[in-house]
Amino acid sequence: MTDLSNDAETRLRNSFAAQSLMTFAGAEVDRCAHGLFRISSPIPNDMRQQHDFGHAALTFALGDTAAGYAAMSVMRPDQEVLTAEMKIQLLAPAKGQRLVAEGRIIKAGRRLIPVEADVWAEDGDKTTHIARLIGTMIPVDIPVAAT
Amino acid sequence: MTDLSNDAETRLRNSFAAQSLMTFAGAEVDRCAHGLFRISSPIPNDMRQQHDFGHAALTFALGDTAAGYAAMSVMRPDQEVLTAEMKIQLLAPAKGQRLVAEGRIIKAGRRLIPVEADVWAEDGDKTTHIARLIGTMIPVDIPVAAT
Amino acid sequence: MTDLSNDAETRLRNSFAAQSLMTFAGAEVDRCAHGLFRISSPIPNDMRQQHDFGHAALTFALGDTAAGYAAMSVMRPDQEVLTAEMKIQLLAPAKGQRLVAEGRIIKAGRRLIPVEADVWAEDGDKTTHIARLIGTMIPVDIPVAAT
Amino acid sequence: MTDLSNDAETRLRNSFAAQSLMTFAGAEVDRCAHGLFRISSPIPNDMRQQHDFGHAALTFALGDTAAGYAAMSVMRPDQEVLTAEMKIQLLAPAKGQRLVAEGRIIKAGRRLIPVEADVWAEDGDKTTHIARLIGTMIPVDIPVAAT
């Protein structure tokens, strides 16, 4: 895993910090490398489903965001990233104190960047694999245009 | 489209109302029928991405939730629903004042319920189709057990 | 549904005819319009699974091909189509005499074309919906380059 | 990776051999373990797309089949496997002399078995990762009933 330049890392962290959903969830960047991005978050009281576990959309949010920045880390500095499509396989309920998501690129394509992510729930001493995501990111020139 | 009994509709609406994420987003149930569920929501300031559009996870949340209750509407009264997997195809940014999501069952299977959903953004007079989802719901006996 | 020009239809039919898998399966083009492509095929003895139904890969082949040409029908004449990713939801076994697949574009994007397809099995008088597909096609300039 | 009992391995190999599509393609079982199944195949002249590369449906067939038997390897002896849904991410054309597919279970669920597979193309000395698949297998009692 190659480290990013300071400039590149700053660019990714600033973009991440500009997502109000990530700020609201209390999500943080834990690891930032070439083609890999890891974040973690508590399970806010306002982001739960009907049995008080984390909502699937929170798991999706973390996995999709981690995968998106993993893709952005291999793009040109004047490019932003958009999710074209994403599939999530839910493996277990989002139960615990903290969720961790790691996104990785599958291939650094020029036009499309296939990505994947895993999400785990930390519940006391126990860590459970709760989701795998796979999807497609596309680079868009800044300022972002519609696809 | 067949209407639901009052009991069935109440059961679905109560489960929906118990999702803190839906409450926090300000989402409402607009239509509730056998195999179809339609909801809508504003785009809260706290659920945006880095360009101030709605986060893909909000679009996912609405589509997945609408699809889930469409599936639950064809299940037995003593069953709850879990998303096993879901794919979202993002078609346009979540830009506007309000998002509308309609979930439908593709087939009322006994063990698996394939579902789909569409999400639209209302921006002034303009309505844009922003996402299509397709996935798999499974019935689980109450109280909900891990799959 | 808008008809295609004779040139455009010929281009699509020639490309379809150049797929040895379609020829081997005995597949035929049934309908060819702007954004829609319908094909049908028998279930060859050599394309079955272990219970003698059509293999899921045959269902996939027909759905993916119908969706691909639906996308190609809205592209420029000097462009070919590639499947970037595709999800298939299998609803029932491929049982019967003939399979029919209809592909449609969801949106005529410039860089990505989200598509969907349905596949039905005809068994005597009965027609069963056996699969729905959703995925992403991309235009590639001729001659086809790697993505 | 745990080996299978002789009985279990024989059961999987017999089921694989009963798939006419696998026989027709010339596919062979290369590895058979608890939760993992690896197969390989040439690219038959009759299974190509319009540019003479392997058809995406062949890549799908190998990935889906490898994933299916990986799932069946963790099921009870009186159970068969069905693909409920599968997503394929195509990374590069199926170009070369031989395709290799490895299927793995993500989790050994009781009701659903999430699986993944990778497919590679061997072209002379070069091996290229051409696809990743992720999907859901379900156990069905023998004799196989519709889902």
Side-chain angles (χ1 to χ4, degrees):
Chain A
M1 204 56 59
T2 319
D3 282 350
L4 293 176
S5 69
N6 286 350
D7 276 6
E9 181 161 343
T10 300
R11 192 167 52 90
L12 266 61
R13 286 179 177 271
N14 285 351
S15 175
F16 177 86
Q19 297 202 9
S20 69
L21 182 65
M22 289 297 115
T23 308
F24 177 71
E28 290 170 16
V29 178
D30 293 335
R31 177 95 195 276
C32 188
H34 185 83
L36 182 147
F37 204 81
R38 198 183 301 145
I39 63 184
S40 62
S41 163
I43 303 176
N45 286 335
D46 282 331
M47 302 186 77
R48 294 172 183 246
Q49 37 89 294
Q50 70 274 27
H51 299 291
D52 214 34
F53 300 141
H55 200 283
L58 172 61
T59 305
F60 178 89
L62 296 171
D64 175 58
T65 300
Y69 287 109
M72 196 169 148
S73 76
V74 303
M75 291 178 186
R76 297 196 318 259
D78 60 338
Q79 290 181 319
E80 263 277 1
V81 64
L82 276 185
T83 303
E85 56 82 33
M86 185 62 64
K87 179 190 205 283
I88 185 167
Q89 207 87 19
L90 292 157
L91 307 171
K95 184 168 176 284
Q97 293 78 48
R98 202 163 181 83
L99 303 182
V100 178
E102 180 180 284
R104 297 175 300 273
I105 62 164
I106 298 177
K107 182 185 171 179
R110 190 174 50 84
R111 295 172 57 191
L112 303 178
I113 302 179
V115 291
E116 60 183 7
D118 288 290
V119 187
W120 298 269
E122 296 177 348
D123 191 10
D125 285 350
K126 198 178 150 195
T127 298
T128 305
H129 188 196
I130 64 167
R132 173 159 296 172
L133 296 85
I134 184 166
T136 307
M137 297 289 164
I138 53 168
V140 281
D141 292 343
I142 297 172
V144 172
T147 57
Chain B
M1 205 56 59
T2 320
D3 282 350
L4 294 175
S5 69
N6 285 350
D7 277 7
E9 181 161 344
T10 300
R11 193 167 51 90
L12 267 61
R13 286 180 177 270
N14 286 350
S15 175
F16 177 85
Q19 297 203 11
S20 70
L21 181 65
M22 289 296 114
T23 308
F24 177 71
E28 290 169 17
V29 177
D30 293 334
R31 177 97 195 276
C32 187
H34 185 84
L36 182 148
F37 204 82
R38 197 184 300 144
I39 63 183
S40 62
S41 163
I43 304 176
N45 286 335
D46 282 331
M47 301 185 77
R48 295 172 182 247
Q49 37 87 294
Q50 69 275 25
H51 300 290
D52 214 33
F53 300 141
H55 200 284
L58 172 62
T59 305
F60 178 88
L62 296 171
D64 175 58
T65 300
Y69 288 109
M72 197 170 147
S73 76
V74 302
M75 291 178 185
R76 298 197 317 259
D78 61 337
Q79 290 182 318
E80 263 276 3
V81 62
L82 276 184
T83 304
E85 56 83 32
M86 186 61 65
K87 178 190 205 282
I88 185 167
Q89 208 86 19
L90 291 157
L91 307 172
K95 183 167 175 287
Q97 292 78 49
R98 201 161 181 85
L99 303 182
V100 177
E102 180 180 283
R104 297 175 300 273
I105 61 165
I106 297 177
K107 182 186 171 179
R110 191 174 49 85
R111 296 171 57 190
L112 302 178
I113 301 179
V115 290
E116 59 183 7
D118 287 290
V119 187
W120 297 270
E122 296 177 347
D123 191 11
D125 285 349
K126 197 177 150 196
T127 298
T128 304
H129 188 196
I130 65 167
R132 175 159 294 171
L133 297 86
I134 185 167
T136 307
M137 297 288 164
I138 53 169
V140 282
D141 293 343
I142 297 171
V144 173
T147 57
Chain C
M1 205 55 59
T2 321
D3 282 351
L4 294 175
S5 69
N6 285 350
D7 276 8
E9 181 161 344
T10 300
R11 192 167 52 90
L12 266 62
R13 286 180 177 272
N14 285 350
S15 174
F16 178 85
Q19 296 203 13
S20 69
L21 181 65
M22 289 297 114
T23 308
F24 177 70
E28 290 170 16
V29 178
D30 293 335
R31 177 96 195 277
C32 188
H34 186 84
L36 182 148
F37 204 81
R38 197 183 302 143
I39 63 183
S40 62
S41 161
I43 303 176
N45 286 336
D46 282 331
M47 301 185 77
R48 293 172 183 247
Q49 37 87 294
Q50 69 275 24
H51 299 291
D52 215 33
F53 298 141
H55 199 284
L58 172 61
T59 305
F60 177 89
L62 295 171
D64 174 58
T65 300
Y69 287 110
M72 195 168 149
S73 76
V74 302
M75 291 177 184
R76 297 197 319 259
D78 60 337
Q79 290 182 317
E80 264 278 2
V81 63
L82 276 184
T83 304
E85 56 83 32
M86 185 62 64
K87 178 190 205 285
I88 185 168
Q89 207 86 17
L90 291 156
L91 307 172
K95 183 167 175 287
Q97 294 77 50
R98 201 161 182 85
L99 303 182
V100 177
E102 181 179 283
R104 296 174 300 274
I105 61 164
I106 297 177
K107 182 186 171 180
R110 192 174 48 85
R111 295 171 58 190
L112 302 179
I113 301 178
V115 290
E116 60 182 6
D118 287 291
V119 187
W120 297 270
E122 297 178 346
D123 191 11
D125 285 348
K126 198 178 149 196
T127 297
T128 305
H129 188 196
I130 64 167
R132 174 159 295 172
L133 296 86
I134 186 166
T136 308
M137 297 288 164
I138 51 168
V140 282
D141 294 342
I142 297 171
V144 173
T147 58
Chain D
M1 205 54 60
T2 320
D3 283 350
L4 294 175
S5 69
N6 285 350
D7 276 7
E9 181 160 344
T10 300
R11 192 167 52 90
L12 266 62
R13 286 180 177 271
N14 286 349
S15 176
F16 178 85
Q19 296 203 11
S20 69
L21 182 65
M22 289 296 115
T23 309
F24 177 71
E28 290 170 16
V29 178
D30 293 336
R31 178 96 195 277
C32 188
H34 186 83
L36 182 147
F37 204 81
R38 197 182 302 144
I39 63 183
S40 62
S41 162
I43 302 176
N45 286 335
D46 283 330
M47 301 186 77
R48 293 172 183 247
Q49 35 88 295
Q50 69 274 27
H51 299 291
D52 215 34
F53 299 141
H55 200 284
L58 173 61
T59 304
F60 178 89
L62 296 170
D64 174 58
T65 301
Y69 288 109
M72 196 169 148
S73 76
V74 302
M75 290 177 186
R76 298 197 317 260
D78 61 337
Q79 290 182 318
E80 263 277 1
V81 63
L82 276 184
T83 303
E85 57 82 32
M86 185 62 64
K87 180 190 204 282
I88 185 167
Q89 206 87 19
L90 291 157
L91 307 172
K95 183 168 176 285
Q97 293 78 49
R98 201 162 182 85
L99 303 182
V100 177
E102 181 179 282
R104 298 175 299 273
I105 61 165
I106 297 177
K107 181 186 171 179
R110 190 175 49 85
R111 295 171 58 191
L112 302 178
I113 302 179
V115 290
E116 60 183 6
D118 288 290
V119 187
W120 297 270
E122 297 178 346
D123 191 10
D125 285 349
K126 197 179 151 195
T127 297
T128 305
H129 188 197
I130 64 166
R132 174 159 296 173
L133 297 86
I134 185 165
T136 308
M137 298 288 165
I138 52 168
V140 281
D141 293 343
I142 297 170
V144 173
T147 57

